[in-house]
């Protein structure tokens, strides 16, 4: 018998007050306005912009389309520097638009882009940098901005993991030219599917609003190339409901994160990544790194957890450069990505969120301890 009858997932959706959500759905039906810049999307946009402290939030149908629209609106072409240690959408959003993602290595401690590696990756074809605030930990924003300024490059952020996080007291969302959030079901804050680009740049925001709606500026008047990137009202209703529960969800995540750190503290070679004290975080990923001092490999631990219905994940193994089409396009990329390869082989992401209790965490710690033989 597995330790858990029902699987414990990484990325189990957090769902706010169901009655409040259903009341909003009722309003949508009464209004018979389901999509296309509806009132709930507008309300969500203004609440997100206010929370993040930026002028504009452009809500869209998912984080990947948000990346694509931001990339186009910034006019990126040629080569763009990105980490390989990220969800594949960061690289795909470039490749999908005929832009070459150039993978730069990460800092092995923060898991975010190493500014020195970024410098080494710049060529005459480079037009921009997309850094990722992986796990909700801010990228090296000051150093990256300095590099971008020095080389005349655009800088934007994939902030898919970093909604409601801050860096040195300043909310994520206001760095670079634009930042992109994902509100996917598996994110601690979700709109079923959804995403947004946030920016302080009026012109950029205007362009992105046009782009997400086929370039329409009023009836029968298309003034820009575009796509269908619109968020629906039902997704916005979920977002408004989950925004009301945001602080509670973060509190659950914070509690779970602390419980994991305490429960796994004595396991040799396993470290649950921490966050800088005093910084605002969402704690949505519990990331354990299994180093050489652990007598059992990361993959053996993952297999053991899966056998007991704990569906821990090897995010973001094996690194984008080892996924297609990048593996074929850049067969030697791994040579310049030693930290990416090391971290990708060592990380386990453990289940958290509202569906996970402290008692569950004790059981998970016991399973790991038993597998390690401590
Ligand atoms: N940039 C970064 C850095 C990202 O991490 C992401 C997305 C993006 C960009 C793109 O944003 P979006 O276009 O997705 O908005 C999941 C998510 O699909 C993806 O949104 C997320 N990152 C990534 C980290 O995780 P998978 O392939 O791991 O999904 P899947 O289907 O294996 O589900 C994960 C776990 O969640 C499973 O154990 C099942 C559970 N689950 C999932 C869903 C959808 C549930 O319990 N309920 C659900 O409704 O990618």
């Amino acid at each position: 018998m597995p330790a858990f009858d029902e699987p414990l997932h990484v990325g189990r959706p957090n769902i706010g007050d169901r009655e409040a959500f259903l009341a909003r759905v009722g309003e949508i039906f009464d209004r018979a306005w389901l999509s296309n810049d509806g009132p709930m999307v507008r309300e969500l946009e203004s609440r997100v912009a206010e929370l993040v402290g930026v002028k504009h939030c452009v809500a869209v149908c998912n984080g990947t389309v948000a990346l694509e629209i931001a990339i186009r609106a910034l006019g990126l072409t040629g080569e763009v520097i990105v980490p390989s240690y990220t969800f594949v959408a960061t690289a795909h959003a470039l490749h999908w638009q005929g832009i070459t993602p150039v993978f730069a290595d990460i800092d092995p401690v923060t898991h975010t882009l190493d500014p020195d590696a970024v410098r080494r990756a710049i060529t005459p074809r480079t037009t921009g940098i997309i850094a990722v605030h992986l796990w909700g930990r801010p990228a090296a924003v000051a150093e990256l901005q300095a590099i971008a300024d020095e080389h005349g490059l655009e800088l934007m952020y994939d902030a898919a993991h970093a909604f409601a996080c801050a860096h040195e007291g300043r909310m994520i969302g206001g760095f670079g030219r634009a930042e992109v959030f994902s509100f996917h079901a598996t994110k601690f804050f979700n709109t079923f599917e959804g995403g947004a680009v946030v920016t302080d740049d009026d012109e950029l925001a205007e362009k992105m609003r046009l782009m997400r709606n086929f370039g329409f500026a009023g009836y029968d008047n298309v003034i820009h190339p575009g796509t269908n990137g619109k968020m629906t009202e039902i997704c916005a209703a979920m977002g408004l409901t989950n925004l009301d529960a945001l602080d509670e969800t973060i509190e659950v995540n914070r509690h779970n994160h602390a419980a994991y750190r305490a429960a796994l503290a004595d396991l040799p070679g396993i470290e649950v990544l921490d966050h800088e004290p005093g910084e605002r975080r969402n704690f949505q990923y519990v990331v354990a790194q299994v180093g050489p001092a652990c007598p059992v490999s990361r993959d053996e631990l993952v297999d053991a957890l899966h056998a007991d219905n704990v569906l821990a994940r090897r995010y973001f193994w094996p690194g984008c450069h080892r996924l297609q089409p990048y593996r074929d396009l850049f067969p030697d990329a791994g040579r310049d990505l030693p930290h990416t390869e090391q971290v990708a082989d060592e990380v386990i992401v453990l289940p958290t969120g509202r569906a996970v209790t402290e008692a569950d965490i004790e059981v998970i710690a016991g399973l790991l301890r038993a597998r390690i033989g401590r």
Side-chain angles (χ1 to χ4, degrees):
M1 279 284 285
F4 293 94
D5 295 336
E6 294 293 324
L8 272 187
H9 294 275
V10 169
R12 200 78 174 148
N14 297 306
I15 299 167
D17 183 335
R18 289 181 188 204
E19 292 305 317
F21 170 69
L22 292 173
R24 286 188 169 103
V25 175
E27 279 178 48
I28 293 170
F29 288 156
D30 290 345
R31 205 183 282 122
W33 194 275
L34 307 187
S35 186
N36 292 26
D37 210 16
M40 291 214 185
V41 167
R42 285 185 174 224
E43 187 183 345
L44 181 69
E45 288 181 331
S46 76
R47 283 182 64 182
V48 167
E50 192 185 342
L51 176 78
V52 171
V54 293
K55 278 167 82 178
H56 305 283
C57 168
V58 182
V60 293
C61 54
N62 61 59
T64 305
V65 166
L67 283 170
E68 289 170 3
I69 286 179
I71 287 164
R72 265 185 192 261
L74 284 175
L76 300 183
T77 55
E79 295 177 359
V80 171
I81 298 169
V82 288
S84 169
Y85 191 60
T86 177
F87 188 60
V88 73
T90 319
H92 277 355
L94 291 163
H95 181 265
W96 197 249
Q97 311 195 61
I99 301 167
T100 306
V102 173
F103 298 119
D105 209 3
I106 51 165
D107 176 310
V109 175
T110 64
H111 298 184
T112 59
L113 268 182
D114 170 4
D116 289 333
V118 171
R119 280 185 191 281
R120 289 195 295 274
I122 295 171
T123 75
R125 296 191 69 225
T126 310
T127 58
I129 303 165
I130 304 179
V132 182
H133 302 302
L134 205 80
W135 318 131
R137 287 170 146 191
V141 293
E143 292 91 331
L144 292 171
Q145 191 62 61
I147 295 171
D149 292 346
E150 196 181 312
H151 293 268
L153 303 176
E154 295 289 1
L155 173 62
M156 61 173 268
Y157 290 94
D158 178 338
H161 299 179
F163 184 55
C165 295
H167 175 60
E168 295 178 353
R170 202 174 136 201
M171 292 299 281
I172 299 288
F175 295 99
R177 290 286 305 286
E179 301 213 48
V180 166
F181 296 125
S182 164
F183 302 146
H184 182 255
T186 56
K187 297 293 184 286
F188 88 104
F189 165 77
N190 83 85
T191 61
F192 292 104
E193 288 271 1
V197 192
V198 290
T199 182
D200 280 319
D201 186 320
D202 299 342
E203 217 175 293
L204 196 65
E206 186 50 36
K207 212 190 266 186
M208 293 191 295
R209 286 186 197 289
L210 286 169
M211 283 179 162
R212 76 167 168 191
N213 187 26
F214 315 103
F216 272 109
Y219 286 143
D220 307 328
N221 187 23
V222 172
I223 61 167
H224 206 281
T227 185
N228 183 354
K230 291 173 270 110
M231 178 182 272
T232 65
E233 286 290 273
I234 200 111
C235 289
M238 184 68 155
L240 291 169
T241 306
N242 288 337
L243 259 191
D244 291 338
L246 196 77
D247 291 344
E248 264 172 57
T249 304
I250 292 175
E251 208 32 58
V252 170
N253 282 349
R254 180 198 311 280
H255 187 85
N256 284 350
H257 183 263
Y260 270 115
R261 273 185 65 81
L264 304 185
D266 63 335
L267 292 187
I270 299 189
E271 201 201 330
V272 176
L273 301 199
D274 206 2
H275 294 278
E276 303 85 334
E279 284 282 24
R280 200 175 155 152
R281 291 286 178 271
N282 58 35
F283 298 94
Q284 72 176 313
Y285 291 105
V286 174
V287 181
Q289 207 164 334
V290 183
C294 183
V296 178
S297 75
R298 185 275 307 269
D299 288 352
E300 288 168 315
L301 291 177
V302 170
D303 288 347
L305 290 175
H306 279 219
D308 273 299
N309 247 343
V310 179
L311 302 188
R313 297 295 294 260
R314 300 185 294 179
Y315 287 146
F316 289 102
W317 186 83
C320 294
H321 67 291
R322 293 200 181 275
L323 299 173
Q324 293 294 21
Y326 314 109
R327 191 170 63 207
D328 283 352
L329 288 172
F330 317 116
D332 300 325
R335 217 178 30 209
D336 295 327
L337 300 169
H339 295 142
T340 299
E341 300 217 323
Q342 178 216 327
V343 171
D345 282 343
E346 292 186 350
V347 159
I348 301 184
V349 176
L350 296 162
T352 188
R354 287 170 172 253
V356 176
T357 66
E358 204 172 329
D360 295 335
I361 292 167
E362 283 303 324
V363 174
I364 293 169
L367 295 172
L368 289 170
R369 187 167 291 115
R371 184 65 187 83
I372 290 173
R374 292 296 165 114

